[in-house]
Amino acid sequence: MKKLKIGWAGLGNMGTPMAFNILNSGYELTVFNRSKDKEQELIAAGARSAKTLQDLASHCDVVFTMLSDDVAVKSVYNETDGLLSGGSEPGKLFIDMSTVAPETSRYLSALCRTKQVSFLDAPVSGSVQPAREGKLIILVGGEAQDFEKAKPILDVLGKLALYLGSEGAGSSAKLAINYLLGINIQALAETVLFAEQNGISKENMLTIINEGACGNGIIKLKIPSVLADSFPSAFALKYIVKDLKLAKEAGLNSPLSAPLLNTFEAAAADGLGEEDLMAVIKYLRRS
């Protein structure tokens, strides 16, 4: 068993396989989730369940958080029985892997400093399968010495943990890469639909894309769902809407950003928010 005790708050499609990777690497793991049923697989595999967030923080040396949005993240740090509600224990490290505004990461970092504990923002680039395989790209902001402390654990979770600068840098990089993700997905959808309108099957068009210079990793991942016209959620469409809004609030004002956000917002309003973001092709087909 490795020396550091690790905590994890926030289990779901991404968080659960990432927590399993930590547990399977020999770390002592304690988990907390408000829906306790989501803890059961990890407990059966040897994890401990924390009764409260304060319990989680007091028991662990390093605590990861991975939640749905800024409000949820602030809540677990701030609330009466939250992660920072106990006495200060210098040396603890909190790592938030949620996709939030850079300003939220800076706020949490400052809050942690008042408690004499350390903080890193470390959102990930990748979806469920890379999370299972430990092949995520981890984008880190904060103090360099805290990154070095965390790196052996981050290396369990990803194929690359990249230190990008002071607090908020990881969150800024995540919004930037998710902007490119949105562009890629909408461009793929529009290309396939345009080809079909002109008599080219989606099978042939996807082959042309995949075998040529325009093919890339995300397109290759989405080809099976486009061919099957089935979009189980690896990254829910509602989350790209959230991330594009956060990018806009952080200053994104490029020519493609407004129509991109408009399209995904409309697709979510059309009932596609819980499906994978590639389901935007369904909205574009019928709009």
Side-chain angles (χ1 to χ4, degrees):
M1 193 68 69
K2 297 182 181 179
K3 187 175 180 180
L4 288 176
K5 296 179 179 179
I6 310 300
W8 194 284
L11 299 170
N13 287 346
M14 294 284 287
T16 297
M18 293 168 73
F20 261 112
N21 286 340
I22 289 174
L23 184 63
N24 292 337
S25 294
Y27 288 99
E28 180 181 324
L29 178 69
T30 302
V31 296
F32 177 86
N33 200 81
R34 297 194 192 282
S35 301
K36 290 299 180 182
D37 59 302
K38 292 186 177 180
E39 297 179 355
Q40 295 311 305
E41 282 185 277
L42 285 156
I43 293 168
R48 171 183 178 268
S49 175
K51 294 180 180 178
T52 65
L53 288 163
Q54 186 182 106
D55 175 32
L56 183 74
S58 64
H59 184 76
C60 298
D61 305 300
V62 179
V63 177
F64 288 87
T65 52
M66 193 170 199
L67 297 125
S68 58
D69 56 36
D70 298 57
V71 172
V73 175
K74 287 180 179 178
S75 175
V76 301
Y77 282 85
N78 264 334
E79 62 187 38
T80 303
D81 197 23
L83 292 173
L84 300 180
S85 60
S88 296
E89 295 184 51
K92 285 188 182 291
L93 174 59
F94 294 85
I95 303 175
D96 183 44
M97 308 196 88
S98 317
T99 301
V100 296
E103 188 56 39
T104 293
S105 294
R106 289 188 282 269
Y107 166 79
L108 293 173
S109 180
L111 191 64
C112 285
R113 280 198 298 273
T114 68
K115 296 289 186 175
Q116 298 181 292
V117 296
S118 299
F119 177 84
L120 294 172
D121 51 288
V124 302
S125 180
S127 58
V128 175
Q129 193 58 36
R132 291 193 186 106
E133 296 171 352
K135 294 182 179 179
L136 296 163
I137 299 172
I138 305 171
L139 315 170
V140 187
E143 295 292 334
Q145 64 266 28
D146 295 325
F147 170 71
E148 292 303 323
K149 177 180 178 180
K151 194 170 186 305
I153 315 168
L154 299 178
D155 286 344
V156 168
L157 301 173
K159 64 181 181 181
L160 175 65
L162 192 62
Y163 177 68
L164 298 167
S166 61
E167 61 268 21
S171 295
S172 294
K174 178 59 186 291
L175 296 183
I177 195 62
N178 276 14
Y179 174 52
L180 180 59
L181 170 65
I183 289 173
N184 269 274
I185 293 298
Q186 184 165 334
L188 175 60
E190 292 182 2
T191 298
V192 169
L193 292 175
F194 174 66
E196 287 183 318
Q197 289 165 7
N198 287 277
I200 308 300
S201 71
K202 63 183 177 183
E203 290 80 3
N204 283 335
M205 194 66 235
L206 288 167
T207 298
I208 293 166
I209 296 168
N210 195 37
E211 296 298 326
C214 292
N216 61 39
I218 190 62
I219 287 176
K220 290 176 181 178
L221 282 174
K222 297 306 179 186
I223 282 175
S225 61
V226 175
L227 288 172
D229 199 32
S230 176
F231 306 97
S233 179
F235 182 61
L237 189 145
K238 65 181 180 182
Y239 292 129
I240 196 69
V241 174
K242 172 185 74 76
D243 296 350
L244 291 172
K245 286 181 177 178
L246 289 175
K248 181 180 178 181
E249 292 167 6
L252 179 63
N253 190 31
S254 57
L256 293 179
S257 60
L260 185 71
L261 175 56
N262 290 343
T263 298
F264 281 105
E265 280 188 312
D270 201 35
L272 299 172
E274 299 296 335
E275 296 191 47
D276 189 74
L277 78 169
M278 193 66 241
V280 72
I281 195 170
K282 291 165 67 174
Y283 167 74
L284 291 170
R285 183 181 290 120
R286 62 198 187 208
S287 65

